[in-house]
Amino acid sequence: LLAASASAFAPAQVGKTSTSLNAFEDELGAQPPLGFFDPLGMLTDADQERFDRLRYVELKHGRICQLAFLGQIVTRGGVHLSGSIDQAGHSFDSYPNGIAALFGENAIPTAGLLQIIAFVGFLELGVMKDVTGEAEFPGDFRNGALDFGWDSFDEETKLTKRAVELNNGRAAQFGILGLMVHEKLGEIDMAVDLPIIGMLQ
């Protein structure tokens, strides 16, 4: 009877979860207006290693999406590589922009797509990682070679620059998703006229 009475006053499991989440509320990226935002509960009862892994993945996806968004703007602005994309003499600008360059009736040849996948795989497995073990934070791939003045910044400046990259990556993920959706809307005869980029075709 005493054990049952005592268990009624024991801390609830919810308290443990909120304490675990509170451990990450001061991490970089928990910024106004949302603060710490984990709607899927991926950090419930997570440790620092799990958080660092998810932060690394978020940074990587953000960097890829920044490149993708920039690529969309540049190619739709009429800037393409010079020369031929294949031995048949097709120029880079003879292929459509956006996702249509990869999938569709006018897409680049399958061999070209496989070369892109192989190159990305090489970067993922051999280059874009902490090879030397000198990383200061998740996503730090300087490997003792690339610095660009990073070591000359004070800690506050470093945190600011990391926060800017994180936020730009988050915005780019939404941006490239929006461009892909608008591109597909054009395929079903919905007029899509965007600022800077213009009509998506």
Side-chain angles (χ1 to χ4, degrees):
L1 183 61
L2 284 174
S5 300
S7 66
F9 296 99
Q13 188 69 24
V14 175
K16 180 181 176 185
T17 301
S18 62
T19 302
S20 175
L21 292 178
N22 288 341
F24 304 111
E25 284 186 348
D26 293 328
E27 289 283 350
L28 183 71
Q31 302 165 161
L34 297 177
F36 179 74
F37 188 64
D38 183 28
L40 300 179
M42 297 180 76
L43 291 173
T44 303
D45 294 328
D47 56 11
Q48 188 65 42
E49 184 179 354
R50 168 84 171 149
F51 178 86
D52 289 345
R53 171 67 184 153
L54 292 174
R55 173 52 49 86
Y56 164 75
V57 170
E58 180 183 16
L59 277 169
K60 179 170 68 172
H61 289 169
R63 290 168 179 172
I64 291 168
C65 290
Q66 288 177 73
L67 289 172
F69 192 85
L70 182 63
Q72 280 269 11
I73 292 175
V74 169
T75 54
R76 291 186 186 283
V79 179
H80 296 86
L81 293 173
S82 60
S84 302
I85 195 171
D86 58 19
Q87 293 182 351
H90 297 107
S91 63
F92 283 92
D93 60 0
S94 66
Y95 290 94
N97 297 315
I99 198 75
L102 300 177
F103 307 106
E105 55 190 54
N106 297 318
I108 61 175
T110 304
L113 181 58
L114 291 176
Q115 288 176 40
I116 293 171
I117 293 171
F119 180 65
V120 170
F122 166 73
L123 291 177
E124 177 73 17
L125 297 175
V127 179
M128 305 305 291
K129 61 182 184 177
D130 179 24
V131 177
T132 62
E134 301 175 55
E136 293 180 16
F137 51 86
D140 179 6
F141 300 146
R142 290 175 295 148
N143 292 312
L146 300 173
D147 185 72
F148 301 113
W150 181 259
D151 290 333
S152 66
F153 299 139
D154 58 42
E155 289 304 315
E156 184 177 353
T157 304
K158 287 180 178 180
L159 284 174
T160 300
K161 289 186 176 291
R162 288 176 57 205
V164 167
E165 181 191 21
L166 193 58
N167 283 333
N168 287 347
R170 290 169 175 173
Q173 290 177 64
F174 280 106
I176 195 63
L177 179 63
L179 287 176
M180 290 190 298
V181 168
H182 280 84
E183 189 173 337
K184 288 300 178 185
L185 289 177
E187 291 182 6
I188 56 174
D189 297 327
M190 292 183 69
V192 183
D193 191 5
L194 300 175
I196 299 174
I197 296 175
M199 293 295 293
L200 296 181
Q201 305 178 29

